[in-house]
Amino acid sequence: MTGTSQSTIARLEDLVGRMTLAEKVGQLNLLQPHRFTDLEEKIRNGQVGGVFGVLNPADIERYQRVARHESRLGIPLLVGNDVIHGYRTVFPIPLAEACTWDPGLLEQAAQVAAREAAANGTDWIFAPMVDICREPRWGRVAEGAGEDPYLGSVIAAARVRGFQSIEGIAACPKHYVAYGAVEAGRDYNSVDVSERALRDVYLPPFKAAFDAGAETVMSSFNDIAGVAATINHFTLRTILREEWGWPGVVVSDYTAIAELIEHGVAADLRDAARLSLLAGVDMDMQSEAYDRHLVALVSEGAVPLDLVDEAVRRVLRLKFQLGLFERERLDQGRAESALLTEEAREVALRVAHESLVLLKNDGDALPLTPNARVALVGELADSRKDMLGCWSHTGRAEDAETILDGLSARLGSRLEYVASEVTAAVAAARTADAVVSVVGETADLSGEAHCRAHLGLPGQQAALLEALAETGKPLVVVLATGRPLAIPRVVEQATALVLAWHPGIRAGRAVADVLFGDVNPSGRLAITFPRTEGQIPIYYAHKSTGRPAEGQGTLQFDVPFRSTYLDEPNAPLFPFGFGLSYTRFAYSDLEIESPITDRVVACANVRNVGGRAATEVAQLYVRDLVASITRPVRELKAFERITLQPGESRQVRFDVPVASLGFTGLDMRYQVEPGEFRLWIGSDSASGLEGSFRI
Ligand code: NOJ
């Protein structure tokens, strides 16, 4: 967030001084036009501070013209949009992007998205979604960066920097806070996490986003331990304003103020408006609660005018900072030509390449040889719109390359495609050298309000795979999905398994490049894959418990008196951080420098022991062995992508601040406790060289 200059403060104060109470309230009103027939009238009356969900530049221009030239004070509108994984150039879904573990690249991707959005009239991006999520049933797991607060924080900051590197764009991290912890994985459901979990798991990515300069934040739909996020003084005032001193704009989520009535914490819309403004929600998205009731609430003394003034100042300061008052007319020619440039398509391809995760590769079934005869099976292989993923309104299906396109370009007549008919698929498989089966979820099975209780393959896909597996041909499964799936049987059947997620417009090329080995896969899971829905929530940074599953507890409890299931192992299908490549990496020579002062410096040697150049994501984890609070069995504290030629080895050197090894203590303050720590450097959260150190 940039500081406010003296001249801006003077202009702001002059403007606020000339505003009526109704005009002030108008600045706090954020509306989605399609719901209103009288929107222009409202803008003209000074009743609207911003619009959102308007994608047509001509409409934006029209609304702005009314605001600038026909309203009494001529205050421009904020124009918000959900630019979740690209604007017209659609990138892989954010969960896939997180699997790149490449913040620099994600910063670039966010910049591309913001450039396209800005040229088309958007000045406020409702992203990044930074909700930590350990709940794959929740459809919105697709929109975030996965389960880990550290990786999530690094990515949140990168995305904010990327968006806001474009002049005139404000980012809006969301959803504040703990929305990713909805009970039972059902969207909009209750959240009941402890203050410690809030501080140690759910808040860090927001803090990172603010430290990176995020100008705004969106509060969440859920309640948190009984207090709705929209009226939560603790999160919105105590933490955000008092502890963090963050000066930006808080916007509610869509009709979240009105939803306080259904939550059962506001008697009516008036009450909801009062509670929300008092708690520190500056802008009301779509509830019209402020518009209808705030003037009366202030006049009656139920809401102090000072609080309204504070909110208005925040909104207007943002408008000044974004340069909205100076902005020229939207250049329609520029708007169109800014979209889908060759450079943007290249970035989308790189992100897609890096987000693909190779989960299995028995007998080096992959890469495919260039002259192979391939049977390609599965409806998803020929679906443009499903490659786009769950939140890509501004994307177009026709821009997307399908996996069929990608493989046809390579194989020509050596490729036979069968969408879903089992007999034909089996016949094609029998005459082929290898089968590539694209299975998983269509894009409309994830995203907001698209939760699933069953995380298997939908429809007849499992039966299709059974039949293909029976042919005995090498079975390469490409998994297109918006969430982790619980598919142990598929993993058994597959000779090789490539997790493609919903990879965006460059799907076809990216998948083909990986299948044929032109790109060596380097993606690593940003979220755990469960074996079954019954293991959820499942995440690597769990606690030990007094009776750990591995039986290493000091008391050596007999089975089954341990924290286990009778009918399923605790281990996930694939752990956080996991991902293979077409080479192998060997780790050796772990060293932890001593004495440790304010940094833990740890090194290890990584050697590419395979025959191809490849990129490894070296990961460093720690465990605080004895503390006043139970600590996770592992926590990611650093990572680095390194590219190694065949036979090449290099030392990775991590430099971890001791200050980052703490937690929220008994007194609810962040602290680092002296004592012994274990440390691992390796390829994922379930392996690695092990050492220890004391601080
Ligand atoms: C509701 C969603 O929760 C939020 O993420 C989005 O930004 C708003 N709708 C606006 O579209």
Side-chain angles (χ1 to χ4, degrees):
M1 171 159 298
T2 47
T4 315
S5 71
Q6 283 307 316
S7 64
T8 303
I9 294 173
R11 288 173 72 190
L12 172 67
E13 289 309 321
D14 168 66
L15 183 56
V16 173
R18 288 187 285 126
M19 294 172 85
T20 64
L21 176 57
E23 283 165 334
K24 289 177 180 173
V25 170
Q27 287 304 304
L28 311 183
N29 191 23
L30 177 65
L31 297 179
Q32 186 172 36
H34 76 260
R35 293 279 173 100
F36 303 91
T37 49
D38 58 346
L39 184 77
E40 289 187 30
E41 195 51 33
K42 283 180 187 297
I43 298 175
R44 198 168 289 118
N45 291 340
Q47 276 176 279
V48 184
V51 293
F52 70 102
V54 193
L55 300 172
N56 181 345
D59 291 341
I60 294 175
E61 185 60 23
R62 200 173 69 247
Y63 297 138
Q64 288 290 29
R65 203 171 48 238
V66 176
R68 289 198 171 109
H69 303 295
E70 299 174 28
S71 72
R72 189 179 80 91
L73 294 169
I75 303 174
L77 299 166
L78 278 167
V79 178
N81 270 314
D82 288 289
V83 183
I84 308 299
H85 48 117
Y87 187 81
R88 174 72 181 273
T89 303
V90 177
F91 291 89
I93 55 167
L95 184 56
E97 292 187 308
C99 293
T100 65
W101 295 55
D102 191 344
L105 180 60
L106 299 187
E107 184 171 334
Q108 245 182 294
Q111 186 177 57
V112 167
R115 187 177 295 124
E116 290 189 348
N120 283 270
T122 295
D123 32 57
W124 189 12
I125 288 181
F126 296 154
M129 202 279 251
V130 304
D131 298 316
I132 296 302
C133 178
R134 295 161 170 189
E135 198 17 290
R137 290 172 293 185
W138 190 47
R140 303 198 78 171
V141 66
E143 289 178 57
E147 74 182 49
D148 186 62
Y150 177 73
L151 181 62
S153 297
V154 170
I155 291 177
R159 288 189 168 135
V160 167
R161 282 195 303 271
F163 288 141
Q164 293 193 172
S165 67
I166 297 298
E167 213 187 311
I169 285 284
C172 185
K174 63 191 189 182
H175 306 82
Y176 192 74
V177 55
Y179 182 38
V182 281
E183 281 181 3
R186 239 175 40 231
D187 212 355
Y188 317 122
N189 202 3
S190 299
V191 167
D192 202 346
V193 295
S194 67
E195 180 181 339
R196 182 166 293 108
L198 265 188
R199 290 184 180 277
D200 291 350
V201 178
Y202 297 99
L203 287 168
F206 286 95
K207 181 67 168 62
F210 299 141
D211 289 346
E215 303 273 4
T216 76
V217 73
M218 188 184 296
S219 57
S220 55
F221 286 124
N222 53 281
D223 61 332
I224 308 162
V227 184
T230 312
I231 56 172
N232 199 308
H233 283 247
F234 177 65
T235 54
L236 293 172
R237 289 208 183 272
T238 310
I239 293 181
L240 202 55
R241 304 299 189 195
E242 289 165 26
E243 288 183 25
W244 294 351
W246 183 72
V249 172
V250 178
V251 61
S252 82
D253 203 343
Y254 197 103
T255 61
I257 296 183
E259 290 171 30
L260 294 168
I261 301 168
E262 287 297 331
H263 270 291
V265 293
D268 50 31
L269 195 63
R270 178 183 184 281
D271 202 22
R274 179 181 65 84
L275 291 165
S276 305
L277 202 280
L278 291 179
V281 171
D282 299 318
M283 290 191 93
D284 167 1
M285 186 196 291
Q286 201 71 358
S287 292
E288 293 184 276
Y290 288 179
D291 182 37
R292 291 191 190 164
H293 298 288
L294 213 43
V295 169
L297 284 164
V298 172
S299 312
E300 291 158 19
V303 167
L305 177 61
D306 281 359
L307 288 189
V308 173
D309 282 347
E310 255 181 40
V312 170
R313 283 196 173 86
R314 284 197 275 262
V315 171
L316 292 177
R317 191 171 53 229
L318 177 62
K319 291 186 175 185
F320 279 112
Q321 270 170 206
L322 291 175
L324 297 190
F325 289 86
E326 281 72 45
R327 189 128 350 132
E328 298 160 17
R329 287 174 58 88
L330 204 60
D331 176 344
Q332 304 274 346
R334 191 177 142 250
E336 190 60 32
S337 65
L339 301 174
L340 212 61
T341 61
E342 222 14 71
E343 186 201 342
R345 284 171 40 80
E346 269 305 307
V347 180
L349 179 60
R350 270 190 65 203
V351 179
H353 279 152
E354 292 191 15
S355 65
L356 265 56
V357 188
L358 180 65
L359 293 173
K360 182 176 178 185
N361 193 17
D362 271 6
D364 293 336
L366 288 178
L368 297 170
T369 51
N371 52 7
R373 290 194 65 82
V374 171
L376 176 65
V377 180
E379 289 175 346
L380 283 165
D382 191 24
S383 169
R384 292 183 201 286
K385 74 174 181 353
D386 290 310
M387 295 302 100
L388 295 185
C390 62
W391 204 326
S392 50
H393 308 315
T394 28
R396 297 196 187 158
E398 74 249 28
D399 298 337
E401 304 158 2
T402 63
I403 296 173
L404 173 58
D405 294 336
L407 263 58
S408 306
R410 299 250 172 187
L411 295 168
S413 62
R414 276 173 285 115
L415 181 75
E416 186 173 353
Y417 174 60
V418 180
S420 59
E421 212 276 305
V422 179
T423 322
V426 167
R430 291 223 161 91
T431 57
D433 301 317
V435 182
V436 174
S437 182
V438 185
V439 294
E441 296 184 327
T442 49
D444 57 3
L445 288 183
S446 55
E448 185 179 345
H450 288 69
C451 303
R452 295 181 67 204
H454 303 279
L455 300 186
L457 292 179
Q460 302 308 308
Q461 299 181 100
L464 182 62
L465 279 186
E466 290 288 347
L468 291 172
E470 271 171 26
T471 66
K473 293 288 168 130
L475 177 57
V476 177
V477 174
V478 174
L479 188 62
T481 177
R483 59 160 63 71
L485 296 178
I487 47 168
R489 178 77 187 131
V490 174
V491 176
E492 264 169 42
Q493 290 167 327
T495 323
L497 178 60
V498 175
L499 171 62
W501 302 105
H502 292 136
I505 56 166
R506 304 305 308 273
R509 170 75 190 275
V511 170
D513 285 349
V514 163
L515 293 185
F516 286 92
D518 294 321
V519 167
N520 201 340
S522 63
R524 302 290 184 264
L525 294 180
I527 189 163
T528 304
F529 267 54
R531 299 179 53 81
T532 163
E533 297 85 354
Q535 294 178 314
I536 298 170
I538 182 168
Y539 50 97
Y540 83 94
H542 61 81
K543 304 292 182 70
S544 158
T545 81
R547 297 184 179 195
E550 297 77 21
Q552 292 159 344
T554 35
L555 298 178
Q556 295 287 330
F557 281 97
D558 289 331
V559 175
F561 296 99
R562 298 178 185 170
S563 181
T564 54
Y565 302 101
L566 293 175
D567 52 1
E568 194 69 50
N570 283 16
L573 192 57
F574 296 109
F576 174 84
F578 179 77
L580 303 169
S581 71
Y582 300 143
T583 192
R584 310 240 179 318
F585 298 99
Y587 283 74
S588 64
D589 305 309
L590 174 67
E591 268 175 50
I592 304 173
E593 285 179 14
S594 65
I596 285 166
T597 50
D598 60 340
R599 335 269 309 170
V600 179
V601 178
C603 310
N605 213 56
V606 187
R607 176 182 292 275
N608 178 348
V609 293
R612 290 167 179 262
T615 300
E616 165 70 328
V617 181
Q619 303 163 34
L620 181 147
Y621 295 87
V622 300
R623 174 172 178 181
D624 186 345
L625 289 181
V626 182
S628 53
I629 299 294
T630 59
R631 306 296 304 129
V633 296
R634 277 198 188 207
E635 288 179 286
L636 180 72
K637 291 294 170 188
F639 62 87
E640 195 184 326
R641 290 173 57 88
I642 41 168
T643 301
L644 297 173
Q645 297 305 313
E648 186 186 351
S649 70
R650 195 173 323 148
Q651 192 185 54
V652 279
R653 186 173 188 276
F654 293 109
D655 184 340
V656 179
V658 166
S660 73
L661 303 181
F663 53 85
T664 299
L666 287 166
D667 59 359
M668 285 300 157
R669 284 168 204 249
Y670 183 82
Q671 64 191 53
V672 180
E673 282 182 7
E676 193 175 354
F677 286 69
R678 202 163 284 162
L679 176 150
W680 296 261
I681 295 180
S683 292
D684 58 59
S685 64
S687 64
L689 301 175
E690 189 176 321
S692 62
F693 64 92
R694 287 191 78 81
I695 54 170

